Amino acid sequence: MPDLPLILRGVPDPMIVIGADGLITDMNPAARGLFGDWALGRDHGAVLRQPPVLAAIAAVLGGEGEGQADFTRTQRGRDVLYRVTITRLTEGAGLLHFADVTHIGEAEEMRRGFVANVSHELRSPLTALMGFIETLRGPARNDPEARMRFLDIMEEEAQRMNRLVSDLLSLARVEGTERQRPAHPVDLRGVLEGVAATLKGQAEAQGSKLEITGETPAPIPGDRDQLTQVFVNLTENALKYGGPNRPVTLALSEAAAGPGFRHPHLRVDVIDRGAGIEPAHLPRLTERFYRVDSHRSRAMGGTGLGLAIVKHILNRHQGKLTIRSRTGEGSVFSVFLPKGSAD
Ligand SMILES: Nc1ncnc2c1ncn2[C@@H]1O[C@H](COP(=O)(O)OP(=O)(O)OP(=O)(O)O)[C@@H](O)[C@H]1O
Ligand SMILES: [Mg+2]
């Protein structure tokens, strides 16, 4: 009966030998961990059970040199996907090697989801634009008033596409630099003042006051443009979802190292007094394209990438974001940035 050579016992991937009679004649420790000791000496069909694997085994042992099949198993509540490679040994015996390829499947799944989301987000403004072009050519051709109105809507839709593309580009840029730790000295108070100046018009237009509180701390290591983007995104959200005539506060403070933070850090709370967010949504807000109310957010020109960008930038700074919210009272998005040394 074929056995696994000693050298293969130490391989961390599960491996199984099937004898010419179809019984499992040997398993390495990883395979015992996966299937249990009882499997040794059993018919492989009773142990493996999944038809695609059994069919591949039959084909290989019946004469084809090598084959592969997928095998799934739930381990500790998690679905694990194995790629099983089947090799024919002498006299109708075979060797099975199980490689955990779950992460490849997950990455592929994420990529597919991302492409689907992007296409969907681009398609809706595109469909609107195409519809209006049609209308302008046809029914609205001789109606100057309708023409102007439609052109306004078309401009808005084109701007939405433009925003989406620039958000996607900044996300890609941030992801591309995530490994390099930014280390230029940044005056965080100055960043907040810049953000407030940029968004002043938007705040005034909706009757909201934008205030900054806190002392000016010493510079911290960082990337000024990226940190500006963090606070633009958070403050825009606070204004957008905080509602008209409600103040928005950017509160800057310093804190020593403590539980949850190994180093002294700066903290900025972006506080709004809006409708707040249901607790169920909080853990998912920083996912790409995640929106609590996609109709409402879309109507306000949102694509759901703002917080995903914030999260990536903070990762790069070894910082962190926490979100607290009470429905009916408002939300606090807190940014923590390590002080470190700006070298
Ligand atoms: N201050 C807030 N109050 C209530 N809901 C918020 C707040 N900030 C974010 N949200 C919710 O989180 C969702 C995701 O925010 P995010 O900034 O990532 O996307 P967005 O604002 O929809 O689009 P954009 O990409 O233009 O920023 C929003 O759609 C909104 O539902
Ligand atoms: Mg946003």
Side-chain angles (χ1 to χ4, degrees):
M1 287 210 292
D3 281 344
L4 281 172
L6 197 58
I7 200 166
L8 291 184
R9 303 209 158 266
V11 174
D13 294 341
M15 289 192 170
I16 288 180
V17 180
I18 300 174
D21 49 5
L23 302 185
I24 294 181
T25 59
D26 200 5
M27 304 165 83
N28 70 350
R32 286 171 193 260
L34 182 60
F35 295 103
D37 288 336
W38 71 275
L40 192 63
R42 299 292 166 110
D43 185 81
H44 74 276
V47 175
L48 298 171
R49 293 214 298 265
Q50 295 171 18
V53 182
L54 298 183
I57 294 174
V60 172
L61 300 192
E64 286 162 32
E66 207 183 270
Q68 285 196 325
D70 285 349
F71 178 78
T72 51
R73 192 144 174 115
T74 307
Q75 283 173 298
R76 290 178 223 102
R78 190 177 85 104
D79 286 334
V80 182
L81 175 66
Y82 288 99
R83 173 101 357 109
V84 186
T85 303
I86 307 145
T87 315
R88 190 166 185 265
L89 306 172
T90 47
E91 294 145 22
L95 172 69
L96 310 189
H97 168 259
F98 295 73
D100 182 345
V101 293
T102 316
H103 59 285
I104 301 175
E106 283 167 354
E108 177 61 16
E109 186 72 16
M110 261 178 72
R111 193 190 63 79
R112 261 201 297 266
F114 183 68
V115 171
N117 273 320
V118 171
S119 319
H120 175 77
E121 292 298 327
L122 282 172
R123 178 173 285 156
S124 15
L126 202 54
T127 309
L129 282 176
M130 279 161 35
F132 283 116
I133 291 172
E134 193 101 313
T135 320
L136 285 175
R137 283 227 173 94
R141 196 168 34 189
N142 299 316
D143 180 347
E145 203 181 304
R147 219 158 45 204
M148 288 321 285
R149 207 172 59 240
F150 290 158
L151 281 172
D152 283 347
I153 305 176
M154 289 170 76
E155 184 177 6
E156 223 168 84
E157 295 294 340
Q159 272 165 0
R160 173 199 297 288
M161 288 175 76
N162 194 21
R163 244 188 338 258
L164 174 63
V165 171
S166 44
D167 279 354
L168 285 172
L169 287 175
S170 29
L171 195 58
R173 249 196 318 269
V174 177
E175 282 177 336
T177 58
E178 209 156 306
R179 269 166 232 251
Q180 316 148 15
R181 184 106 197 270
H184 297 292
V186 179
D187 159 24
L188 202 59
R189 169 97 198 189
V191 166
L192 298 184
E193 276 159 10
V195 169
T198 310
L199 296 177
K200 192 164 173 251
Q202 195 171 322
E204 277 170 0
Q206 63 170 55
S208 300
K209 233 181 76 182
L210 198 52
E211 56 166 8
I212 303 175
T213 64
E215 301 293 307
T216 304
I220 54 164
D223 178 320
R224 193 185 166 95
D225 292 343
Q226 289 192 346
L227 291 178
T228 301
Q229 184 158 27
V230 164
F231 294 105
V232 165
N233 289 4
L234 293 178
T235 311
E236 263 188 343
N237 281 352
L239 289 168
K240 247 189 335 187
Y241 305 109
N245 308 314
R246 307 269 174 89
V248 167
T249 308
L250 307 180
L252 179 58
S253 59
E254 300 192 45
F261 238 97
R262 273 192 294 140
H263 306 288
H265 55 273
L266 295 186
R267 167 178 182 159
V268 180
D269 290 335
V270 180
I271 306 164
D272 71 64
R273 282 85 177 174
I277 306 158
E278 299 274 347
H281 295 291
L282 293 181
R284 299 198 57 191
L285 288 187
T286 57
E287 287 174 20
R288 297 163 178 173
F289 298 110
Y290 190 83
R291 286 168 296 204
V292 172
D293 175 346
S294 54
H295 285 292
R296 176 152 175 258
S297 154
R298 202 188 296 255
M300 298 197 212
T303 51
L305 290 174
L307 291 176
I309 294 173
V310 165
K311 188 181 81 178
H312 281 288
I313 294 177
L314 292 181
N315 279 349
R316 186 179 173 218
H317 285 76
Q318 300 186 335
K320 123 182 149 172
L321 176 75
T322 64
I323 310 171
R324 280 170 302 144
S325 190
R326 264 174 201 274
T327 41
E329 290 179 20
S331 312
V332 182
F333 286 70
S334 306
V335 170
F336 298 86
L337 289 162
K339 280 194 201 164
S341 56
D343 51 18

